[in-house]
Amino acid sequence: GAVVSQHPSWVICKSGTSVKIECRSLDFQATTMFWYRQFPKQSLMLMATSNEGSKATYEQGVEKDKFLINHASLTLSTLTVTSAHPEDSSFYICSARVGPLRASPLHFGNGTRLTVT
Amino acid sequence: GQQLNQSPQSMFIQEGEDVSMNCTSSSIFNTWLWYKQDPGEGPVLLIALYKAGELTSNGRLTAQFGITRKDSFLNISASIPSDVGIYFCAGSDRPTDSWGKLQFGAGTQVVVTP
């Protein structure tokens, strides 16, 4: 089955620094990946849709200059949290699928716990 | 973002009991998915539903796509301790051949006591 790998699993950084999170599709090519954020005891909130070879599409209220997304290849998308602040501390999860909805439902990575001190 | 209405919010059950949870939407959906999330991990797909009325099982799990296309339920039979976790429904109102974004329910926390 489709496998999505996310790295790192957790990261602690100081306020003002930037953090990069990687999302890889291990056994399939993903032209589209999705980035979610999840706060404790809450559901997943879509941040942006990452499209290979083109600009990401951000959801309303998500700052594109703060959450930089790069989808340079068919198997890798990265999310960079720039100038991180404590309120950016959250669980970030990427997801991908092989094809349209019927062919392949969404599969998730294991998430990255970001703590900004 | 918009969320589905998922209930109950939490369930405390004894091992061996059955569990039932559901999701409803105000609009017609073409796809319903059910996920389970363990602490500190990403959601894992349990069951995918693509047709109104569809009833699908995965071991002790059974899910159905409502006839009205506005709801879905998930049942867990004979619960065991490892069923503990948060269960999310997710759905899309886009055609199944599209790349439509998923909407997620708020989750149902399941706690199983021996």
Side-chain angles (χ1 to χ4, degrees):
Chain A
V3 177
V4 178
S5 175
Q6 198 169 332
H7 178 81
S9 298
W10 57 271
V11 58
I12 301 173
C13 71
K14 292 186 176 181
S15 186
T17 61
S18 295
V19 173
K20 180 185 285 188
I21 302 170
E22 293 185 347
C23 180
R24 294 181 185 272
S25 55
L26 295 186
D27 53 358
F28 65 99
Q29 294 182 333
T31 56
T32 301
M33 293 184 176
F34 303 86
W35 286 96
Y36 290 82
R37 180 166 55 183
Q38 186 179 32
F39 292 106
K41 299 187 184 301
Q42 294 189 21
S43 188
L44 288 78
M45 300 302 293
L46 180 65
M47 298 176 66
T49 302
S50 172
N51 303 297
E52 188 269 335
S54 64
K55 292 183 179 180
T57 303
Y58 291 82
E59 295 299 299
Q60 191 173 10
V62 177
E63 300 175 58
K64 62 181 181 180
D65 294 331
K66 181 169 184 62
F67 299 99
L68 300 179
I69 292 173
N70 184 285
H71 195 152
S73 77
L74 288 171
T75 60
L76 174 65
S77 175
T78 61
L79 168 68
T80 302
V81 182
T82 62
S83 186
H85 291 284
E87 57 264 32
D88 298 325
S89 298
S90 186
F91 194 51
Y92 292 87
I93 315 173
C94 71
S95 64
R97 52 176 179 247
V98 176
L101 281 170
R102 175 174 286 279
S104 172
L106 209 56
H107 293 275
F108 288 86
N110 267 340
T112 297
R113 172 73 59 193
L114 171 63
T115 302
V116 184
T117 61
Chain B
Q2 182 180 352
Q3 287 188 336
L4 306 175
N5 293 315
Q6 184 172 350
S7 65
Q9 186 175 18
S10 61
M11 302 185 71
F12 293 81
I13 59 174
Q14 284 195 320
E15 185 175 356
E17 290 184 341
D18 296 343
V19 175
S20 184
M21 62 194 79
N22 70 84
C23 273
T24 59
S25 68
S26 56
S27 58
I28 291 176
F29 275 31
N30 292 302
T31 302
W32 284 100
L33 306 171
W34 285 93
Y35 291 88
K36 179 182 181 229
Q37 185 178 29
D38 292 327
E41 298 184 11
V44 174
L45 181 67
L46 299 174
I47 293 177
L49 302 163
Y50 298 105
K51 188 187 300 184
E54 182 179 356
L55 183 70
T56 298
S57 293
N58 178 8
R60 293 179 296 105
L61 307 175
T62 302
Q64 184 161 32
F65 193 140
I67 291 293
T68 64
R69 297 169 66 190
K70 292 185 176 182
D71 64 317
S72 176
F73 72 75
L74 173 71
N75 285 344
I76 306 173
S77 63
S79 60
I80 59 178
S82 62
D83 290 334
V84 166
I86 302 177
Y87 293 78
F88 290 101
C89 64
S92 172
D93 56 2
R94 295 295 184 90
T96 51
D97 61 347
S98 76
W99 290 87
K101 294 178 292 190
L102 290 179
Q103 301 172 40
F104 280 83
T108 296
Q109 171 76 60
V110 173
V111 177
V112 181
T113 57

